[in-house]
Amino acid sequence: MKNMDFEALVLDTLIQYLFLLAGGGALALAAMGPFAVLVFIPVICAVFLICLLSPQEVHRQTFCFQMSWQTLCHLGLHYTEYYLQELPSTRFCLALSSLMLLTQRVTSLSLDICEGKLAAASGGTRSRSSLSEHLCKALPYFSYLLFFPALLGGPLCSFQRFQARVQGPSNLCPRHPFRALTWRGLQILGLECLKVVMRAVVRAGAGLTDCRQLQCIYVMWSTAGLFKLTYYSHWILDDSLLRAAGFGSEFGQSPGEDGYIPDADIWTLETTHRISLFARKWNQSTARWLRRLVFQHSRVWPLLQTFAFSAWWHGLHPGQVFGFLCWAVMVEADYLIHTFAKLFIRSWPMKLLYRTLTWAHTQLIIAYIMLAVEVRSLSSLWLLCNSYNSVFPMVYCILLLLLAKRKHTFN
């Protein structure tokens, strides 16, 4: 009787893996069309490497292949935009976006294997097992890399969480799902209404090409506000879909694993006066992935390496390279400025004034970085750099140079 129950459980688990895999494949074909092959090829190669290589080798090899493949695809986008000067296909852009998310899952999985958090899958391809046994061992990896709730968006879901949800009781549901999803639906509705208002404001005003002097600051702030509202709305929608599918915070958290973190923490992002805190809270799951993948393994200039890799992962557009490197410098300056302020600002009125000024300055610097990252042409980037908006990051650069000499006294 126990054997029959165990076999039924195994069969049910396999069916769930196949369902998630088939759903991901169908969604990829429907959304990306023939460009879905750009996602399918690295999935097959990644699973092959995971099943073939030893735990010590698997992360380095999968990382190199995945980033090389993604870079080639981004170069195709560069060729279309900058050389041919044509608009890229929407399906191709969706494939690139999905490929970037796939890179997160592949490297997260390979790091878990390399760090011993997951049992190594290597050795299976060298054994004399049948083809069906090989495929059964590889099925969870295929399903994880292509499962449809996270194919086109959403916070990074670890393999442990994914596996725990699939292998857990099928009748287990999140607590208060209707209330939580209703609240998120209202948030999305409110953000979309704000987007309509902000889009009208941006269209009614002058652009970077037409603005003059201080007017450019207002143009930068309003345009960046529209970008942020778009990101917030998408992140909440992606998080809702992932939770509705059962991969939220209620499932699969192992003792050594960080808890589930949604990408959007709007209150913190809009109220913080620290650029470093904004960097940690902006797209939180990606920030945590970058910290684990790059920052914690870098011995020299870890902050600069992390932001440089982020520019590479995003596609190495000129604005992205400039924006992410500028962001790294701003974070470094932020650490020094606020450490200095803690030593010399004592009274409550001065603390309130300091927090107000640094909040406004932080929001304007973030708006500057966001516009730099989002613009696609060198001419638009030059207009941004040549405007009054460049005063705000320049102030932090000057303070960084002045305070860096006294850094040893802050420690």
Side-chain angles (χ1 to χ4, degrees):
M1 187 67 180
K2 291 183 178 180
N3 289 336
M4 292 179 63
D5 292 340
F6 176 75
E7 290 176 359
L9 180 61
V10 170
L11 181 60
D12 181 65
T13 301
L14 289 175
I15 291 174
Q16 290 193 58
Y17 280 134
L18 288 170
F19 172 74
L20 292 169
L21 175 60
L27 179 60
L29 289 171
M32 308 169 202
F35 295 109
V37 71
L38 298 177
V39 177
F40 294 154
I41 289 176
V43 167
I44 295 171
C45 294
V47 174
F48 179 78
L49 291 174
I50 288 170
C51 293
L52 179 67
L53 300 175
S54 65
Q56 294 77 21
E57 299 175 330
V58 65
H59 175 62
R60 182 170 59 87
Q61 298 291 342
T62 54
F63 173 83
C64 291
F65 173 81
Q66 186 66 30
M67 285 306 299
S68 298
W69 180 265
Q70 182 179 304
T71 303
L72 285 174
C73 294
H74 272 126
L75 288 176
L77 179 64
H78 284 232
Y79 177 77
T80 303
E81 288 187 334
Y82 299 120
Y83 184 76
L84 299 179
Q85 295 186 350
E86 297 176 356
L87 288 176
S89 166
T90 303
R91 290 176 180 267
F92 179 62
C93 292
L94 281 174
L96 274 181
S97 177
S98 180
L99 188 60
M100 292 170 65
L101 296 173
L102 176 65
T103 299
Q104 288 189 344
R105 294 194 293 277
V106 167
T107 52
S108 174
L109 176 58
S110 63
L111 269 176
D112 286 341
I113 296 173
C114 185
E115 294 172 358
K117 295 181 180 179
L118 287 175
S122 59
T125 54
R126 297 188 182 100
S127 66
R128 297 182 179 179
S129 303
S130 64
L131 179 60
S132 60
E133 291 177 344
H134 290 319
L135 291 177
C136 286
K137 290 179 181 179
L139 179 60
Y141 301 122
F142 279 117
S143 183
Y144 169 66
L145 296 178
L146 278 176
F147 79 113
F148 66 88
L151 183 68
L152 299 178
L156 175 61
C157 175
S158 68
F159 183 76
Q160 295 100 311
R161 183 182 302 279
F162 170 80
Q163 199 171 35
R165 175 64 186 93
V166 173
Q167 295 179 355
S170 58
N171 60 347
L172 190 61
C173 296
R175 291 171 294 178
H176 314 298
F178 180 77
R179 184 188 306 174
L181 292 177
T182 302
W183 168 239
R184 285 179 175 80
L186 292 174
Q187 285 180 309
I188 294 171
L189 180 61
L191 289 169
E192 290 298 321
C193 292
L194 286 175
K195 275 177 59 180
V196 172
V197 175
M198 189 62 73
R199 186 178 288 110
V201 170
V202 171
R203 288 177 177 175
L208 281 176
T209 55
D210 305 320
C211 66
R212 294 173 180 262
Q213 300 178 354
L214 296 178
Q215 185 187 17
C216 294
I217 299 174
Y218 173 75
V219 171
M220 177 187 71
W221 175 83
S222 58
T223 306
L226 180 60
F227 286 141
K228 287 200 286 187
L229 289 172
T230 303
Y231 279 115
Y232 295 157
S233 179
H234 286 175
W235 287 341
I236 294 175
L237 177 61
D238 293 339
D239 176 65
S240 301
L241 293 175
L242 203 61
R243 287 176 179 269
F247 296 95
S249 58
E250 293 83 1
F251 301 104
Q253 184 178 345
S254 57
E257 183 189 1
D258 294 332
Y260 175 88
I261 299 179
D263 283 331
D265 185 354
I266 301 176
W267 174 258
T268 302
L269 291 171
E270 295 299 324
T271 58
T272 183
H273 67 300
R274 299 289 306 268
I275 295 178
S276 55
L277 179 59
F278 190 99
R280 292 194 296 271
K281 293 296 183 179
W282 178 263
N283 199 354
Q284 288 187 88
S285 65
T286 297
R288 186 172 63 179
W289 169 71
L290 289 169
R291 181 179 182 84
R292 182 189 179 197
L293 182 68
V294 183
F295 188 88
Q296 294 178 351
H297 294 87
S298 302
R299 297 181 180 179
V300 180
W301 299 100
L303 188 66
L304 183 61
Q305 287 191 47
T306 302
F307 280 96
F309 175 80
S310 183
W312 180 21
W313 179 67
H314 278 86
L316 288 177
H317 291 275
Q320 292 171 343
V321 175
F322 173 80
F324 281 110
L325 293 182
C326 177
W327 200 347
V329 175
M330 295 300 101
V331 170
E332 190 66 34
D334 178 83
Y335 287 137
L336 288 178
I337 292 168
H338 290 287
T339 303
F340 181 84
K342 287 180 182 178
L343 295 176
F344 292 95
I345 298 178
R346 301 290 185 180
S347 63
W348 279 105
M350 288 302 297
K351 285 184 177 180
L352 181 60
L353 177 62
Y354 166 77
R355 188 179 181 94
T356 303
L357 291 176
T358 51
W359 169 81
H361 203 92
T362 294
Q363 295 300 321
L364 288 170
I365 288 177
I366 292 301
Y368 182 87
I369 293 170
M370 191 166 294
L371 254 68
V373 171
E374 292 294 336
V375 296
R376 279 290 185 264
S377 64
L378 287 171
S379 59
S380 298
L381 182 61
W382 173 250
L383 286 173
L384 177 65
C385 295
N386 206 32
S387 67
Y388 274 47
N389 298 312
S390 296
V391 171
F392 303 110
M394 283 301 298
V395 169
Y396 264 39
C397 288
I398 294 171
L399 290 175
L400 174 62
L401 294 174
L402 294 175
L403 298 177
K405 299 179 181 179
R406 305 179 62 182
K407 185 177 181 179
H408 65 281
T409 61
F410 299 152
N411 295 330

